[in-house]
Amino acid sequence: MAEKVTSAQINDFINAQIAEWPMAAGNFEALKGVKVKEVALPGWTVKVQFNPARIVSSSAKVDAKSLKERKCFLCAQNRPDVQRGISWGDKYTILINPFPIFPRHLTIPDDGHVDQLIEGRIADMMSLAQQLDEYTIFYNGPRCGASAPDHMHFQAGNSDFLTLGEALEAAELKTVATDGDSVLAVVDTLPLNVFVIDADTPEAGQRLFSRLYAAIPVPEGEREPMMNLLCYATAAGVRLVVIPRKRHRPSFYGTEGEDTMLLSPASVDMGGVFITPLEKDFNALDADKICQVLDELCLSNEEINQIAQNIQ
């Protein structure tokens, strides 16, 4: 479907962009000095990163009025002249993310200014994950961490950075549906409940995802189910982790008051690295608080198993 790219090609591209873009270079260099701590949860060890540069994303205003009043930073005509891209397929461009979380961080927008909606794009996501075998491709729903919900985009980062994949290797996967050799399973034994699709081809993965997508409730006022997605290559094909959500931000989100935190979880946080742009939040975020975040934002065992039962 798409002209192939390789991890080596993208690694060279990232290095070239850093060499010619001082602002991005400074942010990537700053990553080497960010504070990181590990927090043990049941069956899963997560990391917490203090990353001041990410305040742009964590505090992003994503209401309709704010989006209408700002220029879209993912549209080609609004990007800095120094920001080059690599075309992928007939509708995507691979860019470096100038406000990185990962040592290698990409943004992959659609070439058109179309809304952040995932339906019909899973085969694209899986194909790219197979080609970029050192990277995890991820998708943030419009109210699940996307700082540009008005412009469809994926992101990607080096796969050895997130911790959820390792936890899933040790977790029990309960088969819900199959498509040939491809399997859709539910995992309900970790601090967050997820679905996992192990696909031998992107097309089979798309079919299984479509069945799951149809079974997840769409909140009133939303155009698609709330979710984060992580996708990466495996020895047998490609794995898609689907993390259904029921809330955009935790109840204590904010900047005013001692008990608030500027924490707006997206795919990276759900993948095992919680990003805090404020040092006070980095210091305060512990196992109990992370479990509270996951309880508030993610589905309960009862809710996720009800979806599993509804899959046709």
Side-chain angles (χ1 to χ4, degrees), residues 78 81 88 106 136 223 243:
N78 299 327
D81 291 339
W88 186 76
L106 305 168
T136 293
R223 295 174 61 188
I243 308 165

Side-chain angles (χ1 to χ4, degrees), residues 66-75 77-78 113 150:
S66 297
L67 293 175
K68 188 175 182 180
E69 291 176 350
R70 64 103 168 101
K71 289 184 178 180
C72 177
F73 54 86
L74 294 180
C75 286
Q77 66 270 24
N78 299 327
H113 187 74
D150 55 336

Side-chain angles (χ1 to χ4, degrees), residues 4 25 63 78 89 93-94 112 129 139 150 163-164 171 176 191 209 248 311:
K4 289 191 174 183
D63 60 281
N78 299 327
T93 299
I94 299 172
Y139 169 83
D150 55 336
T163 66
L164 181 59
V176 174
F209 177 81
H248 182 195
I311 291 172

Side-chain angles (χ1 to χ4, degrees), residues 4-245:
K4 289 191 174 183
V5 292
T6 66
S7 294
Q9 178 186 359
I10 294 303
N11 294 343
D12 288 344
F13 167 69
I14 291 172
N15 291 336
Q17 276 279 267
I18 289 173
E20 62 192 3
W21 190 355
M23 187 269 285
N27 287 336
F28 274 92
E29 182 64 26
L31 273 185
K32 299 175 183 178
V34 299
K35 291 184 180 179
V36 178
K37 66 181 181 182
E38 291 191 347
V39 179
L41 305 180
W44 183 27
T45 298
V46 303
K47 298 176 183 178
V48 181
Q49 182 190 98
F50 169 45
N51 187 337
R54 293 298 296 184
I55 197 166
V56 175
S57 179
S58 297
S59 61
K61 294 182 178 181
V62 293
D63 60 281
K65 182 176 183 292
S66 297
L67 293 175
K68 188 175 182 180
E69 291 176 350
R70 64 103 168 101
K71 289 184 178 180
C72 177
F73 54 86
L74 294 180
C75 286
Q77 66 270 24
N78 299 327
R79 294 178 209 148
D81 291 339
V82 70
Q83 188 172 29
R84 297 183 291 107
I86 294 177
S87 293
W88 186 76
D90 56 4
K91 57 186 175 184
Y92 299 99
T93 299
I94 299 172
L95 310 167
I96 70 163
N97 189 318
F99 300 101
I101 296 170
F102 299 78
R104 290 176 280 159
H105 195 163
L106 305 168
T107 302
I108 305 146
D110 191 293
D111 291 336
H113 187 74
V114 294
D115 287 342
Q116 181 83 338
L117 297 169
I118 194 59
E119 189 173 19
R121 295 181 183 265
I122 292 299
D124 293 344
M125 190 180 194
M126 288 188 160
S127 294
L128 187 56
Q130 285 184 317
Q131 292 178 27
L132 297 184
D133 56 358
E134 296 178 7
Y135 287 79
T136 293
I137 316 299
F138 56 98
Y139 169 83
N140 294 322
R143 288 207 317 122
C144 297
S147 54
D150 55 336
H151 193 130
M152 172 62 206
H153 64 286
F154 298 114
Q155 293 185 65
N158 44 294
S159 288
D160 57 0
F161 186 78
L162 300 178
T163 66
L164 181 59
E166 185 175 350
L168 288 172
E169 290 298 320
E172 179 186 3
L173 275 65
K174 303 173 184 176
T175 298
V176 174
T178 59
D179 185 304
D181 292 330
S182 299
V183 177
L184 166 63
V186 65
V187 178
D188 62 2
T189 56
L190 294 176
L192 80 171
N193 293 314
V194 305
F195 290 98
V196 174
I197 296 175
D198 285 315
D200 56 351
T201 68
E203 293 73 25
Q206 176 77 65
R207 290 192 295 269
L208 284 173
F209 177 81
S210 294
R211 293 166 65 183
L212 172 60
Y213 184 92
I216 303 176
V218 180
E220 185 176 353
E222 300 296 324
R223 295 174 61 188
E224 72 174 13
M226 295 180 69
M227 64 178 69
N228 297 110
L229 305 176
L230 303 168
C231 189
Y232 49 92
T234 64
V238 62
R239 169 167 281 188
L240 177 71
V241 182
V242 181
I243 308 165
R245 299 264 298 261

